[in-house]
Amino acid sequence: MKKLVLLLTIMFMTMSYGQETKQIPQINVNGEGKVKVAPDQVCISATVETKGNNAKDVKKQNDEKMDAVLKFIKKMNIPTADFKTKQVALNPQYDYEKKKTSYNANQTVEIVLKDLSKYDELMEGLVQQGINRLDNVSFESSKLAQHESEARKLAIKDAKAKAEDYVSVLGQKVGKAITISDNSQIYRPQPMYAAMRKSESADAMGGASNETLAIGEIEITANVTVSFILD
């Protein structure tokens, strides 16, 4: 009886193993979807940085300049929800050679400008009011999530079209998708921009200004890997 049970167990294990290793005809393909859109807003990260030997004076100078910057931003009629203080710091810096301590104060404000026609005026005004460091200028789309969704759908369609091309010569058909992997990477393109101030030649021509910005297009890309069953 024990030998019979052992024999049945071995047979069951063999059958189960055979079922687990049964291969399903399938095809794995990569798909890519691209959407190009013109940016409709820009995110600017700008910093006021001051240095000196007295911590109190350095902080005071920094606060005064940032106060002027914030007043200018409000004067540009930018909604309060579209700008915020991102960082505030006051750090001592010790010079070992001179054996003296100096201080470095900085405040960073992040601005989302939704009217790109005000870009040049805003940038020039920020510098005039005390901004001495631009940490980041990123052109974006306010409908990014919508465009990313569209790019993903295009990527899936591209993958299916490729699979159908491959199997069409074999007399087979593409069935259901069994796995989908998203390989997309987020990329934020940086703008190409020139001087923020009008050139002297432009002023001589009656105030006409040269173009200082070429924002181009944002390319949103989605990449997927899809495994389809073959019928």
Side-chain angles (χ1 to χ4, degrees):
M1 183 66 180
K2 290 183 178 179
K3 291 183 178 180
L4 178 61
V5 172
L6 179 60
L7 179 62
L8 290 174
T9 301
I10 293 173
M11 289 178 63
F12 176 75
M13 290 175 64
T14 304
M15 291 175 62
S16 299
Y17 179 77
Q19 291 176 353
E20 290 175 358
T21 58
K22 182 179 179 181
Q23 293 185 348
I24 300 174
Q26 60 182 274
I27 182 173
N28 301 321
V29 291
N30 296 322
E32 182 178 72
K34 290 184 179 181
V35 176
K36 293 184 179 181
V37 296
D40 58 4
Q41 64 184 36
V42 58
C43 181
I44 302 166
S45 182
T47 297
V48 172
E49 186 174 23
T50 54
K51 298 178 180 181
N53 296 323
N54 184 285
K56 184 176 180 180
D57 291 341
V58 169
K59 184 180 183 304
K60 182 180 179 181
Q61 292 173 16
N62 197 267
D63 288 343
E64 289 175 350
K65 289 181 179 180
M66 182 52 71
D67 179 62
V69 167
L70 294 176
K71 287 178 178 177
F72 169 72
I73 294 172
K74 293 176 182 178
K75 189 177 179 181
M76 289 285 295
N77 293 321
I78 296 176
T80 54
D82 292 342
F83 65 94
K84 62 182 179 181
T85 299
K86 190 176 180 181
Q87 180 181 341
V88 178
L90 176 62
N91 300 312
Q93 295 181 330
Y94 186 73
D95 188 329
Y96 289 93
E97 292 184 0
K98 297 180 179 179
K99 296 183 179 181
K100 289 184 178 181
T101 300
S102 61
Y103 296 88
N104 185 358
N106 63 75
Q107 294 187 59
T108 301
V109 60
E110 188 175 78
I111 310 160
V112 177
L113 180 64
K114 296 179 179 178
D115 184 353
L116 294 182
S117 66
K118 294 182 178 180
Y119 176 82
D120 283 337
E121 183 182 356
L122 175 64
M123 296 294 273
E124 185 172 355
L126 289 175
V127 173
Q128 290 176 347
Q129 298 303 324
I131 291 293
N132 49 17
R133 199 177 81 204
L134 289 175
D135 299 318
N136 185 53
V137 179
S138 175
F139 284 82
E140 305 169 348
S141 170
S142 60
K143 299 179 180 179
L144 183 61
Q146 176 182 327
H147 297 315
E148 287 178 336
S149 176
E150 184 180 351
R152 287 191 289 267
K153 292 176 183 177
L154 291 174
I156 293 293
K157 290 181 179 179
D158 181 52
K160 187 175 181 181
K162 286 180 180 178
E164 290 173 343
D165 285 342
Y166 286 128
V167 304
S168 61
V169 295
L170 303 175
Q172 293 177 286
K173 292 183 179 180
V174 176
K176 294 181 179 180
I178 52 176
T179 62
I180 300 175
S181 299
D182 186 356
N183 307 318
S184 304
Q185 294 184 346
I186 299 176
Y187 170 66
R188 298 288 185 267
Q190 298 299 313
M192 297 297 294
Y193 59 92
M196 292 183 290
R197 298 178 182 275
K198 297 180 181 179
S199 66
E200 293 180 3
S201 59
D203 291 335
M205 293 173 63
S209 61
N210 294 330
E211 291 186 4
T212 62
L213 193 66
I215 59 175
E217 292 182 323
I218 297 173
E219 186 176 273
I220 301 163
T221 305
N223 292 282
V224 297
T225 300
V226 186
S227 297
F228 294 98
I229 294 176
L230 297 181
D231 295 333

